[in-house]
């Protein structure tokens, strides 16, 4: 019963924030409500128990749904975009990760946030994925969540507004979504049910296997890789196949992630919150400016227009950057492709590095503790 009440409260918070039209609104709303419950520890409906004994399955479920959603974006259009611009995308991707690490050092140096949490907080891997990963590896969830949300909010409140003064360029395309799933057809046909069940079963098997062999963020990465492979193979081998994947799947994933992460926002995590917010804003603005300058340089040296380049490489959300690209007549296919590739690359490459860093930090702490004693 307390878990149901807690989830309903988080859902109401998500519903309230959904009126902001942000793609991450449901997660932010659930995160805010969950954090308030975790901080004040109310006794009514036994909500204290709900936040202190939060089942891990909530986080796994949210990660799994999010992973499938990201994987379904990977289609042949994105592969073609990657083949045409792979060198540019790879170069900017590497530089953006380097810039993120620099801002991570900045956050570590000027706040009490540990090094691992600082790197996860500034990594451009998605506002939903990185806090969930931080919780999984025992990093400072509050610092990661605050910094990630601040960066996305700053991006979507500055970049689209500034670019709108330049007008459009007439280069928009509409093919920005996978063609293998349908969100509206109900009741399900036998074929739709079969393909959907097959995808979910495969994703579960891969995620469980990934967890057993200790792959970082197994539920997120396992589901994402499975959905991407499923999408690419089915589009070529079974072009008539239609998968059912509802529009409300992503908000549900955000609710589970936000509620799970919010439950961990205990008072002691916010001891240095003021410094994290100030430094987080400064570091996020520095990252935005650096990538914007790099995007302008890319546009000047290639056939890409400036608006498309800036939106593609901005460390914001996929949906927000894609919507802005359509509104400004930029190449929305390229924007979505680069944003998805960036998130997938960060989620695939950085977790193993973070694991090594985590082991190093733990080793250093043990060594310091041994010397002190």
């Amino acid at each position: 019963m307390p878990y149901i009440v807690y989830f309903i409260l988080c859902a109401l918070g998500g519903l309230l924030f959904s009126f902001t039209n942000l793609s991450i609104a449901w997660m932010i709303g659930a995160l805010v409500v969950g954090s308030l419950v975790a901080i004040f520890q109310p006794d009514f409906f036994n909500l204290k128990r709900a936040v202190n004994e939060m089942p891990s399955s909530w986080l796994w479920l949210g990660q799994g749904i999010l992973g499938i959603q990201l994987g379904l974006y990977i289609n042949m259009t994105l592969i073609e975009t990657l083949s045409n611009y792979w060198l540019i995308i790879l170069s900017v991707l590497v530089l953006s990760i380097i810039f993120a690490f620099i801002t991570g050092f900045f956050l570590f140096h000027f706040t009490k946030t540990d090094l691992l949490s600082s790197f996860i907080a500034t990594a451009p891997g998605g506002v939903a994925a990185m806090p969930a990963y931080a919780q999984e590896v025992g990093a400072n969830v509050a610092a990661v969540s605050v910094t990630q949300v601040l960066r996305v909010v700053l991006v979507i409140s500055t970049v689209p507004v500034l670019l709108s003064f330049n007008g459009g360029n007439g280069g928009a395309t509409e093919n920005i979504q996978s063609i293998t799933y349908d969100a509206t057809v109900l009741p399900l046909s036998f074929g739709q049910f079969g393909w959907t069940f097959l995808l979910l079963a495969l994703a579960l098997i891969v995620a469980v296997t990934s967890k057993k062999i200790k792959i970082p963020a197994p539920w997120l990465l396992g589901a994402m890789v499975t959905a991407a492979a499923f999408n690419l193979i089915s589009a070529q081998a079974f072009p008539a196949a239609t998968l059912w994947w509802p529009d409300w799947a992503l908000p549900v994933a955000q609710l589970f992630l936000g509620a799970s992460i919010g439950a961990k926002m205990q008072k002691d995590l916010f001891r240095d919150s003021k410094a994290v917010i100030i430094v987080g804003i400064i570091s996020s603005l520095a990252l935005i400016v650096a990538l914007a300058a790099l995007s302008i340089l890319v546009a000047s040296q290639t056939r890409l227009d400036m608006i498309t380049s800036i939106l593609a490489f901005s460390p914001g959300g996929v949906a927000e950057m894609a919507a802005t690209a359509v509104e400004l007549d930029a190449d929305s296919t390229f924007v979505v492709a680069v944003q998805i590739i960036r998130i997938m690359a960060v989620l695939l490459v950085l977790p193993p590095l973070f694991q090594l860093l985590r082991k190093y930090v733990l080793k250093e702490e043990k060594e310091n503790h041994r010397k002190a004693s």
Side-chain angles (χ1 to χ4, degrees), residues 35 74 91 108 119 125 137 143-144 158 185 231 244 265 276 278 287-288 293 312 347 352 354 357 365-366 371:
S35 299
I74 307 300
S91 300
F108 167 71
F119 282 153
V137 299
V144 172
T158 57
V185 178
N231 202 18
W244 182 72
M265 297 292 197
V276 170
I278 295 174
L287 181 62
I288 293 169
L347 293 177
F354 288 150
L357 178 62
E365 289 179 351
K366 289 182 180 179
K371 291 180 179 179

Side-chain angles (χ1 to χ4, degrees), residues 285-296:
L285 286 174
L287 181 62
I288 293 169
V289 171
L291 290 180
L294 187 60
S295 301
I296 294 173

Side-chain angles (χ1 to χ4, degrees), residues 27-87:
M27 178 181 170
I28 294 177
L31 180 61
V32 169
V33 173
S35 299
L36 292 175
V37 175
I39 291 172
F40 293 105
Q41 300 277 320
D43 290 323
F44 61 89
F45 294 110
N46 206 9
L47 288 174
K48 181 188 295 186
R49 178 191 170 194
V51 294
N52 291 325
E53 301 178 14
M54 177 61 57
S56 301
S57 56
W58 285 37
L59 181 65
W60 298 346
L61 183 59
Q63 287 184 331
I65 298 174
L66 177 63
I68 292 176
Q69 185 75 52
L70 290 174
L72 288 175
Y73 278 117
I74 307 300
N75 54 24
M76 290 309 299
T77 303
L78 268 67
I79 300 301
E80 292 170 2
T81 300
L82 178 60
S83 64
N84 293 332
Y85 295 96
W86 69 270
L87 183 58

Side-chain angles (χ1 to χ4, degrees), residues 214-227:
K214 298 183 178 180
I215 291 178
W219 296 97
L220 177 65
L221 294 180
M224 182 174 64
V225 172
T226 301

Side-chain angles (χ1 to χ4, degrees), residues 79-259:
I79 300 301
E80 292 170 2
T81 300
L82 178 60
S83 64
N84 293 332
Y85 295 96
W86 69 270
L87 183 58
I88 296 172
I89 295 174
L90 178 62
S91 300
V92 177
L93 177 63
V94 171
L95 288 173
S96 65
I97 292 176
I98 292 174
F99 290 155
F101 274 141
I102 293 174
T103 57
F105 272 115
F106 187 75
L107 184 65
F108 167 71
H109 182 73
F110 288 98
T111 69
K112 296 179 181 179
T113 307
D114 61 275
L115 190 59
L116 176 63
S117 300
S118 298
F119 282 153
I120 298 176
T122 55
V127 72
M130 301 317 294
Y133 178 70
Q135 179 178 338
E136 185 175 309
V137 299
N140 188 324
V141 180
V144 172
S145 301
V146 168
T147 307
Q148 289 284 341
V149 170
L150 279 174
R151 189 187 69 248
V152 172
V153 171
L154 286 171
V155 169
I156 62 181
S157 61
T158 57
V159 174
V161 174
L162 293 176
L163 290 180
S164 64
F165 290 109
N166 292 319
N169 55 48
T173 57
E174 296 181 356
N175 186 19
I176 62 174
Q177 179 171 292
S178 168
I179 60 172
T180 60
Y181 70 92
D182 195 320
T184 58
V185 178
L186 281 176
L188 299 183
S189 66
F190 180 78
Q192 284 179 310
F193 176 81
W195 286 112
T196 303
F197 179 81
L198 177 61
L199 172 60
L200 295 178
L202 290 174
L204 179 62
I205 292 172
V206 173
V208 171
T209 304
S210 300
K211 183 174 177 59
K212 287 185 176 181
I213 61 179
K214 298 183 178 180
I215 291 178
W219 296 97
L220 177 65
L221 294 180
M224 182 174 64
V225 172
T226 301
F230 182 93
N231 202 18
L232 293 172
I233 294 173
S234 63
Q236 299 299 311
F238 308 98
T242 302
L243 173 76
W244 182 72
W245 190 253
D247 289 330
W248 45 261
L250 186 56
V252 169
Q254 291 185 26
L255 284 179
F256 276 109
L257 289 172

